[in-house]
Each structure stands twice: as structure tokens, then as C-alpha cells.
Amino acid sequence: MQTDTMPFAPTTLVGADLSWQEDALCAQAGPEFFFPAPGSSTREAKQLCGACPGRAACLEYALTHDERFGVWGGLSEKERISLKRRRG
């Protein structure tokens, strides 16, 4: 797997299952797509995530590793914070 094409997911975590990255659609888009400037739309990134086979695993990764920036698994930072609160 080429890690330089993955816009945001580190692949050096020991014991982490990152196999979802192999088919992740984010590998086909630049990081600016998933880390837009403040106030910019995340709509396009969320649409791409919605079609991605690794969406659920990506979201779980972001929640587990407390990713604070960017779109992960189809959710923005604020949406992930809200989801974590609801999960308790």
C-alpha cells in the first residue's frame, strides 16, 4: 500500500487494522479535499465518503484515535464530537 497517496491516515500504528485504507476512495483525492480551509464546505468530501467501502472503519478509526481535524468516515470534526457524546 502506498502511504503517500493516503491524505490523512497514518499507517505506522502498531497493531492497528488499517486494511480499510487499501480500498479507500480518499486515496484518489488530495488532502485539501478532506481538510478544507476553515469555513469551506465539506460537502464533496462527505459525498465521496458516502460511496467509500471503508467509510465505517474510517469513522471508527477517527473516533478511536480522537482525530480532531478533517472529514473522516463522512463526518466533520463537530459531527464526530457530537457522535462521541451521544455514544457516551
Side-chain angles (χ1 to χ4, degrees):
M1 170 176 28
Q2 288 185 340
T3 57
D4 59 333
T5 59
M6 219 28 87
F8 50 77
T11 58
T12 58
L13 296 173
V14 177
D17 178 14
L18 302 175
S19 61
W20 55 270
Q21 291 181 355
E22 293 175 17
D23 296 319
L25 296 179
C26 59
Q28 300 170 24
E32 65 280 352
F33 203 70
F34 295 93
F35 295 92
S40 297
S41 175
T42 58
R43 182 179 12 170
E44 292 86 8
K46 289 178 178 183
Q47 287 175 339
L48 189 61
C49 289
C52 184
R55 183 188 158 288
C58 176
L59 178 57
E60 283 305 316
Y61 174 89
L63 295 171
T64 300
H65 294 90
D66 199 26
E67 290 293 342
R68 296 176 189 252
F69 302 102
V71 175
W72 288 78
L75 298 182
S76 69
E77 300 96 329
K78 290 179 182 179
E79 292 167 329
R80 288 193 307 277
I81 289 169
S82 177
L83 178 60
K84 282 184 91 166
R85 287 184 182 144
R86 287 192 309 263
R87 285 184 170 186

